[in-house]
Amino acid sequence: MSTQVASHNTLLKVILAILLPPLAVFMHSGLSTQFWLNLVLTIVGLWIVGIIHALIVVL
């Protein structure tokens, strides 16, 4: 049962990493340096760099 919950949670984070990268990183690591880095990368890197970073953090 817990593996199903974990896989659904990971799937949600991957979907959010594509749509809203900083939110996915926030859900994974909270209000940390990773979140602020992802926010800056998303704004400066024209979204794609933020998506890549979010996927690395989440997965």
Side-chain angles (χ1 to χ4, degrees):
M1 178 74 178
S2 65
T3 56
Q4 271 187 331
V5 173
S7 66
H8 288 305
N9 196 15
T10 304
L11 180 63
L12 175 66
K13 287 180 185 176
V14 168
I15 292 170
L16 282 175
I18 295 168
L19 298 176
L20 297 168
L23 182 59
V25 174
F26 177 76
M27 285 180 61
H28 184 74
S29 60
L31 200 58
S32 65
T33 307
Q34 292 291 331
F35 168 75
W36 294 109
L37 176 63
N38 187 269
L39 187 64
V40 170
L41 288 174
T42 301
I43 292 170
V44 175
L46 299 174
W47 208 266
I48 299 298
V49 180
I51 291 173
I52 293 169
H53 178 259
L55 288 172
I56 290 171
V57 169
V58 169
L59 297 176

